[in-house]
Amino acid sequence: MSKPVLLVIAHGSRDPRHAETVHALVRQVRARRPGVRVETGFLEFNLPSVAGKLESLAAEGVRDVVALPLLLTRAFHAKADIPSVLREAPARLRIRQAEVLGPSPLLTAALERRLYEAGLTPADKPSTGVVLAAAGSTDPEAIAVIADIAREWRRTGWCAVRPAFASAGSLPRTGEVVRSLRALGCARVVVAPYFLAPGRLPDRVAREGGGADLLAPVLGAAPEVARVLLARYDAATVSAPAAVGA
């Protein structure tokens, strides 16, 4: 029996770096799991669209699909946009929606990896304050998840870890948190962008966090991200909720 097709659902962006990063991550997932067919669809701005990809899979005779939101929190896209698109899929498809990627200790490990790649060392942790810079959301569940990640990450030995947000009217903003960590007495302040790909919001974080000592890259195609993605796929194949569609 063939394994379900893994359809990675990305948001999409006018910034070409977004799609490039998504495709790099998908290539890594394929390399890690050669027995699984992995496809990509975008909600907007980029092609193929999710709807178009589902149509083409159905036309090929594919029956089972795991739709995996390439998202870090369960906010509007995961709760409303993606289920709405999946409900309009061809009736012959059995579609199961996997959980979003975050939170996960592996993603926290990827954040730390990016900080070290940018020049920090493990010995710097006790004297370093970290700004966990996320997108922000009008969904209180998503905001609470980011705060929880910051709290848990702080317990691994940092001087402090505090969340900041780049959009949706969420506060505090990156620059404000940089200043608060300076006032707290952290010897250095670094910004860890909690984003999967470059784009408008990570660029805003970079501008607002200009007073920090160090800015890490986005998570991108970190190996930890690929591992989380496959773990979500595996969980959906064995204990998925009721199928969406047929």
Side-chain angles (χ1 to χ4, degrees):
M1 182 178 178
S2 61
K3 296 178 180 178
V5 171
L6 169 55
L7 176 59
V8 176
I9 300 180
H11 183 272
S13 171
R14 292 186 178 91
D15 189 324
R17 296 173 298 170
H18 174 88
E20 289 168 5
T21 303
V22 170
H23 292 314
L25 176 59
V26 167
R27 284 194 297 271
Q28 187 173 152
V29 171
R30 286 179 180 140
R32 286 175 173 268
R33 194 71 63 85
V36 174
R37 179 177 174 182
V38 186
E39 299 290 344
T40 308
F42 296 90
L43 289 174
E44 54 184 339
F45 302 121
N46 302 104
L47 293 174
S49 68
V50 177
K53 178 55 69 174
L54 290 170
E55 291 281 354
S56 66
L57 289 172
E60 289 180 35
V62 169
R63 196 74 176 114
D64 292 297
V65 176
V66 169
L68 195 153
L70 199 60
L71 301 168
L72 294 172
T73 58
R74 265 183 54 79
F76 183 78
H77 292 306
K79 294 178 179 179
D81 281 353
I82 291 175
S84 176
V85 173
L86 297 182
R87 282 193 294 269
E88 299 300 318
R92 67 168 284 114
L93 293 175
R94 289 190 295 258
I95 304 174
R96 289 165 285 185
Q97 182 174 333
E99 291 296 327
V100 298
L101 300 184
S104 167
L106 282 170
L107 294 179
T108 307
L111 287 167
E112 200 153 311
R113 168 201 286 274
R114 292 304 191 216
L115 286 170
Y116 295 150
E117 289 172 348
L120 212 62
T121 71
D124 295 326
K125 287 181 74 168
S127 57
T128 299
V130 180
V131 182
L132 179 63
S137 175
T138 56
D139 188 319
E141 177 187 347
I143 296 298
V145 165
I146 301 302
D148 286 343
I149 294 169
R151 256 191 311 272
E152 290 299 315
W153 199 14
R154 160 69 181 84
R155 291 172 182 161
T156 66
W158 299 97
C159 173
V161 181
R162 293 184 178 176
F165 303 98
S167 72
S170 305
L171 295 173
R173 304 300 284 264
T174 303
E176 178 184 344
V177 178
V178 169
R179 292 188 291 273
S180 73
L181 291 173
R182 295 264 188 231
L184 186 65
C186 297
R188 69 186 60 77
V189 177
V190 300
V191 177
Y194 193 54
F195 293 88
L196 286 167
R200 178 176 57 88
L201 293 181
D203 286 349
R204 180 179 297 169
V205 166
R207 290 193 302 271
E208 294 181 355
D213 298 295
L214 182 150
L215 171 69
V218 297
L219 294 171
E224 295 89 350
V225 178
R227 289 171 59 193
V228 174
L229 200 153
L230 285 168
R232 298 291 185 255
Y233 169 81
D234 290 340
T237 60
V238 297
S239 59
V244 181

